[in-house]
Amino acid sequence: MNLCTCTIVLKNKNSITFDNVEQSLGLIDQHGISNISNIKIEASDGKKTHSYNNLSIEDSIESLMSL
């Protein structure tokens, strides 16, 4: 699977979208898990785009790291 977009929603309601795993993980590291309310990941398997936004923050980080 390849990352299409990763949208990180901060507790202050700001949202930032990246198309790069390293940038996404960097922002998560910069703000800390406690300052993030949601992470939405869209990834492609080459045929279809899959959306993941009901994962815990920890599971979202694991998913990003596996892309």
Side-chain angles (χ1 to χ4, degrees):
M1 298 263 268
N2 295 309
L3 179 65
C4 295
T5 60
C6 176
T7 302
I8 299 167
V9 180
L10 302 173
K11 297 250 174 154
N12 66 6
K13 304 298 181 205
N14 286 337
S15 65
I16 302 105
T17 302
F18 295 105
D19 61 1
N20 179 288
V21 172
E22 290 78 20
Q23 288 178 325
S24 301
L25 292 171
L27 186 81
I28 293 166
D29 187 48
Q30 177 184 354
H31 286 278
I33 292 172
S34 62
N35 291 316
I36 296 172
S37 62
N38 189 29
I39 299 174
K40 180 180 180 185
I41 300 169
E42 292 187 354
S44 173
D45 63 8
K47 297 176 185 170
K48 262 175 57 165
T49 299
H50 304 271
S51 293
Y52 306 92
N53 68 349
N54 292 322
L55 301 173
S56 69
I57 302 300
E58 292 82 4
D59 286 344
S60 294
I61 293 168
E62 278 187 41
S63 295
L64 278 170
M65 292 175 73
S66 71
L67 295 176

